[in-house]
Amino acid sequence: MSIVEVKFSTTDILDTRNESIVKDSLGITDPELQDALNKIAKSAFTEYLKMFTESGVPSRTAEVRELRLFLLLGYYFDNDIPTESELARIFQLTNSQAKTLLKNTMSRYRVFLDIQLKATIKDSLSGANHRMDGSTHIFTIKSDYIKGVVNERIRDHNPAFDRLLNVQGTSGEYKCSEDTYNFLKVEYSL
């Protein structure tokens, strides 16, 4: 198999206004633009390659979006699962639609995305996202989907454990007891 290098210029398709919109949608700055566009181009090329070599194009719009998100998760987002608000900006959706897209994509491609999901959960539950308040552990989690997955895992392991509960007065801080935290520590290698 020969290696083919693909190059093209965006000057005829990406004007200053569109460039600004792309940067805003992705939440990036000028220095990050070239790398982001390369990753997105690789994702798009992979979508076309799948169309040529596998089963064609999915017939439903939702399936097309799920495939595109799956490929972006692999090439653009590296080891992170984006938040619903990030996806809403990128896919031009409401937060509710983005939440459904994320949930359905994670379900459809769960075998391929399991390592990425666990890495995102681990990041959400550790480091700067974790602090103690007495015997209560508090986490900053920006994604409802990630919080939901963690709560499902807690429930599946031991329904008697506390689930992550919203810290009153906050929009992205969640708390749990020491028992629940000890389970999470083992489960996600914190």
Side-chain angles (χ1 to χ4, degrees), residues 80-81 83 119-132 136-148 150 164-167 170-176 181 184 190:
D80 268 340
I81 304 294
T83 65
T120 300
I121 291 171
K122 182 177 180 175
D123 286 347
S124 296
L125 298 178
S126 61
N129 293 320
H130 174 244
R131 73 178 201 277
M132 290 286 297
T136 302
H137 294 263
I138 298 175
F139 308 98
T140 302
I141 301 175
K142 296 178 183 177
S143 169
D144 287 338
Y145 177 77
I146 296 300
K147 181 207 47 145
V150 172
L164 298 182
L165 298 172
N166 187 259
V167 174
T170 70
S171 61
E173 286 193 333
Y174 300 90
K175 61 184 177 179
C176 72
Y181 177 72
L184 294 173
L190 303 179

Side-chain angles (χ1 to χ4, degrees), residues 18-76:
N18 288 342
E19 183 179 306
S20 178
I21 292 169
V22 168
K23 289 187 293 189
D24 287 346
S25 294
L26 297 174
I28 60 173
T29 60
D30 279 332
E32 300 167 306
L33 182 62
Q34 181 66 51
D35 186 49
L37 292 178
N38 284 334
K39 290 175 178 179
I40 291 168
K42 190 171 184 178
S43 174
F45 178 78
T46 303
E47 181 181 347
Y48 276 95
L49 186 61
K50 285 181 167 298
M51 178 181 72
F52 297 143
T53 62
E54 293 179 11
S55 59
V57 178
S59 59
R60 293 180 354 171
T61 304
E63 291 172 339
V64 172
R65 284 183 179 150
E66 290 165 11
L67 174 61
R68 286 185 178 163
L69 176 53
F70 170 67
L71 295 171
L72 286 172
L73 287 168
Y75 294 113
Y76 180 72

Side-chain angles (χ1 to χ4, degrees), residues 177-190:
S177 65
E178 188 71 28
D179 288 345
T180 300
Y181 177 72
N182 288 334
F183 162 71
L184 294 173
K185 201 161 72 170
V186 172
E187 184 71 14
Y188 296 106
S189 304
L190 303 179

Side-chain angles (χ1 to χ4, degrees), residues 84-149:
E84 294 85 349
S85 59
E86 289 173 307
L87 292 179
R89 283 194 317 269
I90 292 170
F91 282 88
Q92 307 275 331
L93 302 170
T94 65
N95 274 352
S96 177
Q97 291 170 320
K99 186 175 185 174
T100 299
L101 172 61
L102 181 58
K103 181 181 172 188
N104 291 345
T105 303
M106 295 303 293
S107 177
R108 179 178 295 255
Y109 298 102
R110 69 182 165 276
V111 172
F112 303 104
L113 297 173
D114 188 56
I115 291 171
Q116 207 168 354
L117 177 60
K118 287 180 179 173
T120 300
I121 291 171
K122 182 177 180 175
D123 286 347
S124 296
L125 298 178
S126 61
N129 293 320
H130 174 244
R131 73 178 201 277
M132 290 286 297
D133 183 9
S135 62
T136 302
H137 294 263
I138 298 175
F139 308 98
T140 302
I141 301 175
K142 296 178 183 177
S143 169
D144 287 338
Y145 177 77
I146 296 300
K147 181 207 47 145
V149 169

